[in-house]
Amino acid sequence: MPLLQFDVIQGRSESEMKTLLDAAHRAVLAAFHVPPRDRYQIVHENKRYQMVFEDTGLGLTRTDNLVMVRVFTSPRSDEQKQFFMAELCREFKESCGILPADVMISFITNDKGDWSFGNGVAQYVTGEL
């Protein structure tokens, strides 16, 4: 159950955001093989001056299409994470016209006992999932 948080520069339409979120979910399904309704996404829209993403000496040129994605998840293999990163960039380029240089991804890994899906219960630990 990854939780994806997106930071984008405001100005995308509701339809454009739906397309972006659907593309991200397809990447999650392909990389992590979770059930289709295992979908948790949050979008934060920011003013341009609130997002500063400079090149880290990698030769990246960024535009206002920049998308920062934070993936909160139970441990995943390096292969799964690499596949997700590549698949997300492919999906964003094909579905949204977002260039791979405009996609920054960070994984935040936590233990199964760190998740409660509701009712104040750590369902992964109690076996209620």
Side-chain angles (χ1 to χ4, degrees):
M1 188 270 354
L3 163 65
L4 275 62
Q5 287 186 344
F6 303 84
D7 274 281
V8 299
I9 296 170
Q10 61 188 192
R12 287 181 169 92
S13 69
E14 184 176 340
S15 174
E16 288 170 320
M17 284 308 309
K18 181 181 181 331
T19 300
L20 184 143
L21 295 176
D22 289 348
H25 190 59
R26 287 192 297 274
V28 166
L29 293 174
F32 304 133
H33 308 289
V34 298
R37 287 185 41 87
D38 197 353
R39 184 172 180 169
Y40 300 87
Q41 301 171 318
I42 301 170
V43 176
H44 299 129
E45 291 188 291
N46 304 280
K47 294 181 171 98
R48 176 67 187 105
Y49 69 85
Q50 293 174 310
M51 291 185 65
V52 178
F53 287 78
E54 296 180 354
D55 183 10
T56 315
L58 300 173
L60 300 171
T61 302
R62 302 195 196 274
T63 72
D64 285 351
N65 276 335
L66 177 71
V67 180
M68 172 64 208
V69 183
R70 283 179 300 285
V71 182
F72 295 84
T73 184
S74 299
R76 305 285 177 175
S77 70
D78 287 341
E79 292 79 18
Q80 285 179 309
K81 290 187 277 189
Q82 290 291 318
F83 182 83
F84 172 77
M85 291 179 202
E87 187 66 8
L88 184 65
C89 284
R90 186 193 68 73
E91 280 281 357
F92 279 178
K93 185 174 182 185
E94 284 184 14
S95 301
C96 310
I98 299 170
L99 298 176
D102 277 327
V103 182
M104 187 167 176
I105 305 163
S106 176
F107 277 84
I108 297 96
T109 303
N110 41 47
D111 293 322
K112 292 185 177 210
D114 295 333
W115 294 95
S116 172
F117 296 92
N119 298 327
V121 176
Q123 287 86 358
Y124 279 130
V125 175
T126 64
E128 292 182 34
L129 283 179

